[in-house]
């Protein structure tokens, strides 16, 4: 009885192979033998998605080119295809699956992993009911975890609803994108706006979050206010106290009224200490990391993008140093806590001698099996790298490992202990509060003393800043108070970073008013999933909608135009849309709703867009003002992109056309003049092209490569009969 193990990608397959006692490599597969398999099996793999939804052109030639008249596109049956560059591997997988009696699904243990595996199996056309389907479910690629997983395989059919949920999400996204993107793009082109405008279930509301923050910043008008504080002088020292409760005074009239009512005056006056509280306090170590929590923390400290952090964690997972990355919980189970406890002596080798890990009982702050669904928090594995091995990773990978390692180990260190002193001083009839904190035992904070990693964690719950050591005072003691009004200005909202935007996506429930929507978003962790949020941000950046400047995000002119357009359809921008979609998708995963039922609702939504958007974009004044702004920016960019008059038609201007420099008169006058961006192994810059068009030659340029010898040389470029030529001079 032949057993085939289907992995998601080659690196994952290789990890499974390395765990087996014997193996032999073939073309696109491995043959392995191990007692856990009761014999021999074949491991084959995809390259992620071997199967994808077909393009619109697959449903008819009329859909090959975007046309408003062809919208909406609602296929009767959705077609799936294998991309040309993946057909060879797909055929290898297909052959083994056809021959198999037992198929072990060993793709990533999540919904997308189910989608990848089941899409491949269905595309082969085999009757899956004639096969025995098993599921490998693991959190680590370490040998022991892999072998334990294979020894405890689950029923593959139990996860079929998860595939249906993932596929429904895939198809519904296709419906919105393949109808919404051409709809908005073509309508914007009718108004003279170039480019392609992409619509997405997750990316559009995410972009709109940043757009709303940009608007709040742009429209912000600072207003003055004042706060009262007092410098308290005692026999034993001086400290600063603030009005309790803290109050902002918008103008001098409100301030003067308060002072009169509370018998307080500006400047020096006698005051009295009315209360002194000293209390020993403790702070537990930071919570463990979900993926979004780790992305936010690393971005805060090192300004790394969410996508780069995910890649780094994935690399460390495949290196068997960290557990599965795409997790949405900061909790582990008793099982993980046990292996961490048993491995403390090995982890100790990565710590300075002064920090000693000690076994402890599991705490609900970190260990709660009820809150672990598919995967537990990101923690270190049993494999402890040497210093030399860590040095072989990139700087970001080292930073990620260090933060996860320290956060994991902090569970096994004592709480941070400090003494908090609160002094209440009465000035007139007003109270002023000062808080001081004095460290007693560093506890887990000693682990982070050499860097700022702990401060980067969104889970750092060390409370507000204190004054440090406060002087010794007694209740009833008379002191001198110098009261002043701090003049301040309100501050605008802070721009999003990738870290804070990831958090905003995860906590999108805070942006909705409907209680049921808030609850749904709380359950589904907001906009997108742990696995998709980084890709969403990369998509928005790659399409030019989001710009990153010094780790701060803002929406481009193109993105603002899109946001103005979709704002007329609130369901495209609101968290409520995500909430309703995610609730329905969850119901598919729990077999409470059918795929056909959900997709019919999506079709009605798409039909609403097709029916309403053209009229909205034609008549909305705010949107059309944005169009004018966009056209002005477009014209300015066009002017800046013109490199010089075309030497062939003498009418058009040479511009950057992506892979080459070409005449912008190619449409009206059919001028096909162009110049290459690369010549004899060297990139030709716009500056060089400008010089060529103006004077017929460039300065002497270095870095050309001889086709005959491969040697580098320098020369002047000239234009001869509209073509580049070298001038070596004398």
């Amino acid at each position: 009885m032949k057993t085939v193990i289907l992995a998601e990608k080659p690196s994952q397959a290789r990890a499974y192979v390395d765990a087996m006692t014997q193996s032999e490599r073939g073309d696109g597969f491995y043959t392995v033998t191990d007692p856990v398999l009761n014999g021999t099996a074949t491991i084959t793999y995809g390259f992620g998605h071997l199967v994808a939804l077909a393009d619109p052109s697959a449903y008819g030639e009329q859909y090959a080119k975007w046309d408003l008249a062809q919208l909406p596109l609602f296929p009767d049956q959705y077609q799936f295809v294998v991309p040309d560059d993946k057909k060879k591997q797909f055929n290898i997988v297909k052959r083994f699956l056809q021959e198999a009696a037992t198929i072990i699904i060993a793709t990533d243990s999540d919904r997308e992993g189910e989608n990848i595996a089941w899409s491949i199996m269905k595309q082969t056309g085999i009757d899956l009911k004639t096969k025995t389907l098993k599921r490998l479910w693991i959190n680590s690629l370490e040998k022991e975890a892999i072998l334990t997983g294979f020894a405890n395989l689950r029923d593959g059919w139990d996860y079929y609803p998860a595939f249906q949920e993932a596929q429904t999400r895939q198809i519904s996204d296709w419906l919105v994108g393949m109808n919404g993107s051409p709809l908005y793009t073509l309508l914007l082109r009718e108004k003279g706006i170039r480019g392609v405008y992409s619509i997405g279930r997750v990316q559009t509301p995410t972009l709109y979050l940043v757009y709303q923050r940009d608007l709040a910043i742009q429209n912000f008008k600072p207003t003055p206010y004042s706060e009262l504080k007092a410098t308290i002088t005692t026999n034993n020292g001086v400290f600063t106290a603030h009005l309790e409760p803290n109050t902002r005074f918008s103008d001098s009239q409100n301030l003067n009224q308060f002072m009169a009512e509370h018998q307080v005056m500006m400047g020096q006056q006698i005051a009295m200490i009315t209360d002194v509280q000293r209390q020993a306090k403790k702070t537990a170590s930071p919570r463990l990391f979900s993926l979004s929590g780790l992305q936010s923390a690393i971005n805060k400290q090192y300004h790394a993008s969410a996508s780069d952090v995910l890649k780094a964690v994935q690399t460390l997972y495949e290196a068997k140093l960290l557990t599965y990355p795409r997790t949405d919980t900061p909790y582990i189970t008793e099982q993980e806590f046990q292996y961490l406890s048993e491995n403390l002596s090995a982890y100790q080798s990565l710590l300075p001698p002064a920090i000693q890990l000690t076994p402890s009982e599991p705490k609900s702050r970190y260990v709660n099996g009820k809150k672990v669904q598919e995967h537990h928090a990101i923690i270190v594995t049993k494999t402890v790298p040497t210093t030399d091995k860590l040095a072989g990773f990139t700087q970001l990978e080292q930073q990620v490992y260090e933060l996860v390692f320290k956060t994991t180990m902090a569970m096994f260190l004592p709480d941070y202990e400090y003494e908090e002193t609160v002094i209440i001083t009465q000035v007139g009839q007003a109270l002023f509060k000062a808080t001081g904190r004095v460290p007693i035992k560093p506890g887990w904070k000693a682990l982070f003393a050499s860097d700022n990693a702990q401060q980067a964690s969104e889970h750092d719950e060390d409370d507000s800043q204190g004054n440090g050591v406060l002087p010794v005072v007694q209740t009833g003691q008379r002191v001198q108070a110098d009261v002043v009004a701090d003049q301040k200005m309100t501050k605008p909202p802070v721009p999003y970073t990738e870290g804070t935007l990831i958090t905003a996506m995860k906590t999108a429930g805070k942006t909705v008013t409907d209680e049921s929507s808030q609850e749904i978003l709380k359950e589904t962790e907001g906009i997108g999933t742990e696995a998709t949020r980084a890709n969403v941000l990369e998509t928005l950046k790659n399409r030019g909608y989001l710009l990153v400047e010094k780790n701060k995000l803002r929406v481009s002119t193109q993105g603002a135009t899109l946001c103005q357009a979709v704002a007329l359809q609130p369901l495209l921008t609101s968290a409520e849309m995500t909430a309703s979609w995610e609730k329905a998708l969850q119901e598919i995963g729990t077999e409470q709703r059918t795929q056909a039922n959900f997709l019919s609702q999506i079709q009605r939504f798409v039909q609403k867009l097709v029916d309403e958007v053209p009229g909205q974009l034609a008549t909305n004044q705010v949107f059309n003002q944005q169009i004018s702004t966009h056209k002005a920016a477009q014209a300015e960019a066009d002017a800046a992109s013109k490199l010089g008059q075309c030497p062939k038609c003498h009418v058009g201007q040479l511009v950057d056309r992506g892979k080459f420099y070409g005449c912008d008169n190619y449409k009206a006058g059919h001028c096909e003049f162009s110049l290459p961006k690369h010549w004899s192994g060297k990139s030709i810059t716009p500056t060089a092209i400008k010089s060529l068009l103006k004077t017929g030659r460039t300065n002497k340029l270095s870095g050309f490569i001889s086709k005959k010898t491969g040697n580098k040389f320098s020369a002047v470029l000239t234009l001869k009969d509209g073509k580049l030529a070298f001038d070596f001079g004398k």
Side-chain angles (χ1 to χ4, degrees):
M1 300 294 285
K2 189 167 186 178
T3 298
V4 174
I5 301 167
L6 177 58
E8 188 162 317
K9 51 192 172 182
S11 59
Q12 190 180 58
R14 184 70 244 180
Y16 299 154
V17 170
D18 291 343
M20 305 299 170
T21 54
Q22 295 181 19
S23 66
E24 183 179 344
R25 184 171 184 172
D27 184 9
F29 69 96
Y30 299 88
T31 302
V32 296
T33 303
D34 193 272
V36 77
L37 300 173
N38 295 319
T40 299
T42 298
I43 299 178
T44 188
Y45 48 84
F47 299 136
H49 288 274
L50 285 184
V51 178
L53 275 164
D55 290 332
S57 58
Y59 301 99
E61 294 182 4
Q62 68 271 30
Y63 298 114
K65 185 177 180 181
W66 284 1
D67 184 348
L68 288 173
Q70 300 299 334
L71 299 179
L73 169 58
F74 296 148
D76 293 329
Q77 294 290 331
Y78 293 93
Q79 298 183 31
F80 293 83
V81 296
V82 179
D84 289 341
D85 61 341
K86 297 181 179 181
K87 284 183 177 177
K88 178 184 176 183
Q89 184 61 23
F90 174 78
N91 289 329
I92 292 171
V93 174
K94 179 179 179 179
R95 172 167 59 89
F96 284 116
L97 294 182
Q98 288 174 330
E99 297 171 355
T102 297
I103 299 173
I104 299 175
I105 300 169
T107 49
D108 278 354
S109 306
D110 56 21
R111 289 175 180 83
E112 199 55 36
E114 299 300 336
N115 194 12
I116 289 171
W118 285 89
S119 294
I120 292 172
M121 293 189 297
K122 283 180 170 290
Q123 192 71 11
T124 64
I126 61 178
D127 184 356
L128 294 176
K129 292 183 179 179
T130 66
K131 312 286 185 179
T132 299
L133 299 184
K134 295 293 183 180
R135 208 344 165 165
L136 174 71
W137 197 272
I138 55 177
N139 276 290
S140 167
L141 289 179
E142 292 178 290
K143 178 178 180 179
E144 183 179 344
I146 291 171
L147 293 178
T148 300
F150 275 109
N152 296 277
L153 294 171
R154 305 179 183 183
D155 188 333
W157 285 102
D158 288 347
Y159 296 87
Y160 185 71
F163 155 66
Q164 290 182 305
E165 176 184 336
Q167 187 192 63
T168 306
R169 179 182 286 107
Q170 180 185 18
I171 294 173
S172 59
D173 286 350
W174 187 94
L175 280 171
V176 174
M178 292 303 172
N179 286 284
S181 298
L183 174 65
Y184 281 94
T185 298
L186 294 175
L187 291 172
L188 287 169
R189 286 179 184 175
E190 289 180 356
K191 292 182 174 291
I193 303 299
R194 298 193 302 267
V196 175
Y197 286 83
S198 175
I199 301 297
R201 177 181 64 91
V202 177
Q203 73 177 43
T204 301
T206 300
L207 177 66
Y208 204 74
L209 280 174
V210 184
Y211 175 68
Q212 287 180 306
R213 179 63 58 87
D214 283 355
L215 286 182
I217 294 171
Q218 293 167 17
N219 297 330
F220 178 79
K221 295 181 180 180
T223 56
Y225 70 94
S226 59
E227 293 179 337
L228 286 178
K229 71 175 183 179
T231 301
I232 309 298
T233 302
T234 76
N235 294 333
N236 294 323
V238 178
F239 61 91
T240 300
H242 296 270
L243 184 64
E244 175 69 13
N246 186 50
T247 305
R248 287 186 175 187
F249 300 97
S250 58
D251 53 46
S252 58
Q253 182 178 350
N254 289 335
L255 176 60
N256 292 335
Q257 181 180 348
F258 174 87
M259 296 185 71
E261 291 175 352
H262 292 78
Q263 303 173 24
V264 181
M265 61 182 182
M266 293 296 180
Q268 299 280 349
Q269 55 210 288
I270 298 298
M272 180 181 291
I273 304 297
T274 59
D275 191 18
V276 180
Q277 301 174 9
R278 290 185 177 85
Q279 185 177 3
K281 290 193 172 183
K282 298 180 179 181
T283 300
S285 67
R287 295 184 186 276
L288 302 175
F289 284 116
S290 65
L291 175 59
S292 58
L294 182 58
Q295 288 169 321
S296 297
I298 292 292
N299 175 263
K300 182 178 181 181
Q301 185 176 2
Y302 302 112
H303 296 179
S305 72
S307 177
D308 286 342
V309 175
L310 176 55
K311 291 175 184 175
V313 187
Q314 181 70 27
T315 297
L316 293 164
Y317 168 66
E318 293 180 7
K320 305 177 179 62
L321 298 182
L322 294 183
T323 57
Y324 186 72
R326 294 171 179 82
T327 176
D328 61 0
T329 183
Y331 296 94
I332 58 176
T333 70
E334 294 267 3
Q335 183 178 352
E336 288 77 51
F337 186 82
Q338 181 178 351
Y339 88 65
L340 290 170
S341 300
E342 293 172 350
N343 213 34
L344 290 183
S345 59
Y347 300 134
Q348 188 71 53
S349 64
L350 294 180
L351 297 173
I355 297 176
Q356 291 293 317
L357 302 174
T358 56
S360 63
E361 293 298 315
K363 299 177 183 178
S364 60
R365 179 177 174 84
Y366 320 102
V367 185
N368 188 335
K370 293 180 180 179
K371 295 188 177 182
V372 178
Q373 296 179 358
E374 294 179 346
H375 296 283
H376 57 68
I378 302 172
I379 57 174
V380 295
T381 63
K382 299 175 186 177
T383 302
V384 181
T386 63
T387 303
D388 288 342
K389 183 172 182 178
L390 279 176
F393 291 97
T394 67
Q395 183 180 31
L396 178 59
E397 289 161 359
Q398 292 180 51
Q399 291 164 342
V400 168
Y401 183 80
E402 179 182 28
L403 183 55
V404 175
F405 175 77
K406 289 184 175 181
T407 304
T408 307
M409 294 303 105
M411 286 191 297
F412 299 97
L413 291 173
D415 290 344
Y416 164 61
E417 297 183 25
Y418 60 95
E419 182 183 75
E420 181 179 84
T421 301
V422 176
I423 300 177
I424 303 296
T425 305
Q426 182 175 328
V427 184
Q429 297 301 313
L431 300 179
F432 288 77
K433 177 181 178 180
T435 302
R437 295 186 180 90
V438 179
I440 298 175
K441 294 181 180 179
W444 60 267
K445 280 204 170 190
L447 191 58
F448 299 90
S450 62
D451 55 43
N452 294 320
Q454 180 268 326
Q455 284 80 1
S457 170
E458 68 173 291
H459 305 293
D460 177 19
E461 297 176 3
D462 193 15
D463 37 19
S464 59
Q465 296 295 315
N467 287 311
V469 180
L470 293 176
V472 176
V473 295
Q474 303 295 326
T475 301
Q477 179 179 343
R478 289 182 175 272
V479 294
Q480 190 77 16
D482 185 5
V483 177
V484 297
D486 258 359
Q487 302 299 323
K488 299 181 178 182
M489 299 290 286
T490 57
K491 296 181 180 180
V494 178
Y496 278 118
T497 65
E498 285 203 38
T500 57
L501 183 56
I502 284 283
T503 301
M505 293 171 73
K506 185 170 182 176
T507 60
K510 295 178 181 178
T511 69
V512 301
T513 56
D514 178 71
E515 290 185 6
S516 63
S517 294
Q518 289 178 350
E519 189 60 30
I520 295 161
L521 285 167
K522 182 180 178 181
E523 293 173 0
T524 58
E525 296 292 305
I527 296 176
T529 67
E530 298 288 331
T532 62
R533 290 180 189 124
N535 290 336
V536 168
L537 298 192
E538 285 303 300
T539 297
L540 291 172
K541 290 190 293 182
N542 292 337
R543 287 175 175 160
Y545 302 154
L546 275 187
L547 304 177
V548 185
E549 298 173 354
K550 296 181 179 179
N551 201 42
K552 296 177 181 178
L553 295 173
R554 68 177 179 86
V555 176
S556 67
T557 300
Q558 186 180 11
T561 298
L562 178 58
C563 286
Q564 282 279 10
V566 297
L568 304 174
Q569 286 288 334
L571 286 180
L572 272 177
T573 63
S574 69
E576 281 92 339
M577 172 184 169
T578 302
S580 61
W581 279 38
E582 292 300 338
K583 179 180 179 182
L585 289 167
Q586 280 186 343
E587 290 173 351
I588 293 170
T590 55
E591 300 183 276
Q592 300 175 62
R593 181 188 289 250
T594 66
Q595 183 181 89
N597 172 270
F598 179 72
L599 293 180
S600 67
Q601 291 185 340
I602 296 300
Q603 287 182 354
R604 288 195 293 273
F605 171 67
V606 169
Q607 185 68 60
K608 181 176 183 291
L609 295 180
V610 173
D611 292 341
E612 296 178 358
V613 170
Q616 290 174 331
L617 298 192
T619 59
N620 185 269
Q621 292 183 354
V622 175
F623 168 71
N624 283 291
Q625 288 174 357
Q626 174 64 27
I627 291 296
S628 298
T629 301
H630 192 143
K631 283 184 176 179
Q634 195 169 269
E636 185 178 341
D638 288 346
S641 68
K642 293 178 179 178
L643 304 176
Q645 188 180 69
C646 175
K648 182 177 181 180
C649 70
H650 304 290
V651 175
Q653 291 277 327
L654 239 62
V655 296
D656 187 335
R657 301 235 327 250
K659 295 183 178 180
F660 60 92
Y661 301 106
C663 179
D664 66 0
N665 193 36
Y666 72 100
K667 285 186 177 179
H670 304 290
C671 179
E672 297 180 354
F673 180 78
S674 66
L675 291 174
K677 276 193 171 183
H678 299 275
W679 181 259
S680 293
K682 177 178 174 59
S683 296
I684 310 302
T685 66
T687 301
I689 297 297
K690 286 181 179 180
S691 180
L692 277 170
L693 297 176
K694 186 175 182 180
T695 66
R697 60 191 295 114
T698 67
N699 294 326
K700 194 171 186 178
L701 304 175
S702 60
F704 295 108
I705 300 175
S706 170
K707 292 181 180 179
K708 292 183 178 180
T709 65
N711 295 328
K712 291 186 176 182
F713 65 92
S714 300
V716 172
L717 279 181
T718 63
L719 267 181
K720 289 186 178 180
D721 299 324
K723 295 184 178 180
L724 293 179
F726 289 121
D727 182 352
F728 294 99
K730 295 183 179 179

